[in-house]
Amino acid sequence: MGRAPYRGGVYRFLLTPRWWGINVFVLLAIPFCIFMGSWQLSRFEGRVHEEHAANRQAASDASQAARPLDSMLPVNKATSGRRVSAHGRYGAQLLVPGRQLDDKNGFYVLTLLRTDQGKSLPVVRGWLPGTASAAKAPAAPRGEVTVVGALQASETPGDNGVSAQGGLPAGQTAAISSAALVNLVPDRLYDAWVTLDKADAGMKAVPASAPDGTGLDLKAFQNLGYTGEWFVFAGFTVFMWFRLLRREVEAARDAALGLAPEETSPVTVPSS
């Protein structure tokens, strides 16, 4: 009876340069994938925390006294949503179509407040259902007024549901931002806007939105998706390593038992 091959010799291929490279790659790839997945997960958890903090802040802001507009500028994560007050006279009025409220389509009524500082503040006086129409929008109060509402940062077309549509009828704007309004009105504008606590003339008040880059927006769920991808990559790396190892072991055992397939010699075609 022949002598069985030494089992330990089957794994000698692990000492070859090729497998040294494979092993080093796997040892580096797995912790890297786990680190990246954990980092993406921490980003998602951070956004969840920001969402809860923003909700608490919004509830707190609603009960706080309004502060002067200029003291809360420029708008950032700390000041976005805070209650501010501004004094002046209403001027030009614009409509912002394609805005939803309570799962209904409608439009904002946006009126510029000319302040004592010589600059105009975009003020969303309320929301109305249906297609944007100047005939539906109530006129702004005349004379000097003091507005109180939530401070908001200028919108970016294409982000957070803000339309990037162009070619709107006169008197309409897709985004509430100084960059968009500067082409529609001659006023010097604040790089911010305010949504009133209480809407004017039968309109619905527009709730303040969370600042960009916070809360459970699309980017937050992208972080969650990337988390899954990195962990899948780590598992796939381990799976492929074991698959390659098993194939090499089987090939080495077959060779030790003399079962390796013989190399076929090339067929010579006789010349005519």
Side-chain angles (χ1 to χ4, degrees):
M1 181 177 294
R3 184 177 178 182
Y6 175 57
R7 293 179 59 86
V10 175
Y11 294 94
R12 282 184 293 183
F13 64 85
L14 291 173
L15 301 177
T16 63
R18 173 173 174 266
W19 269 92
W20 268 105
I22 293 175
N23 292 334
V24 170
F25 172 78
V26 171
L27 290 175
L28 294 176
I30 292 175
F32 177 76
C33 290
I34 293 175
F35 168 78
M36 292 300 297
S38 300
W39 179 71
Q40 291 288 351
L41 181 60
S42 68
R43 294 289 302 274
F44 174 75
E45 291 174 342
R47 291 180 181 275
V48 172
H49 176 74
E50 288 180 349
E51 175 76 6
H52 294 162
N55 291 336
R56 291 192 299 269
Q57 183 65 39
S60 175
D61 290 343
S63 61
Q64 290 182 353
R67 300 185 61 180
L69 172 66
D70 290 337
S71 68
M72 303 299 287
L73 296 176
V75 186
N76 52 39
K77 290 183 180 180
T79 61
S80 180
R82 298 291 297 270
R83 296 179 74 239
V84 297
S85 63
H87 185 79
R89 292 175 177 268
Y90 280 123
Q93 183 158 286
L94 302 167
L95 306 180
V96 187
R99 298 304 177 105
Q100 289 190 336
L101 188 63
D102 299 331
D103 296 325
K104 295 180 181 179
N105 291 321
F107 61 97
Y108 293 167
V109 177
L110 176 71
T111 311
L112 299 183
L113 181 73
R114 295 171 180 166
T115 66
D116 299 335
Q117 285 71 32
K119 299 175 67 175
S120 291
L121 173 70
V123 177
V124 172
R125 296 172 45 237
W127 173 91
L128 289 172
T131 304
S133 171
K136 297 179 183 178
R142 294 187 177 183
E144 296 198 4
V145 296
T146 297
V147 301
V148 177
L151 182 65
Q152 301 281 263
S154 288
E155 296 177 333
T156 302
D159 287 351
N160 296 330
V162 178
S163 174
Q165 178 184 359
L168 292 174
Q172 295 188 17
T173 179
I176 308 173
S177 70
S178 56
L181 296 176
V182 72
N183 298 317
L184 302 176
V185 296
D187 306 44
R188 293 174 54 230
L189 299 167
Y190 283 100
D191 189 19
W193 58 282
V194 166
T195 175
L196 295 183
D197 289 345
K198 296 181 180 179
D200 287 340
M203 297 183 287
K204 286 189 176 181
V206 176
S209 58
D212 290 342
T214 63
L216 297 179
D217 54 8
L218 178 61
K219 292 181 180 179
F221 290 103
Q222 285 179 339
N223 292 137
L224 188 61
Y226 294 150
T227 298
E229 288 180 1
W230 282 112
F231 288 148
V232 168
F233 290 158
F236 181 73
T237 301
V238 174
F239 167 77
M240 289 303 299
W241 185 85
F242 275 108
R243 185 174 179 179
L244 289 174
L245 178 68
R246 180 179 178 182
R247 189 175 66 179
E248 291 279 1
V249 168
E250 290 176 350
R253 286 174 177 172
D254 289 345
L257 295 174
L259 300 178
E262 296 181 357
E263 294 184 0
T264 58
S265 58
V267 177
T268 303
V269 178
S271 59
S272 57

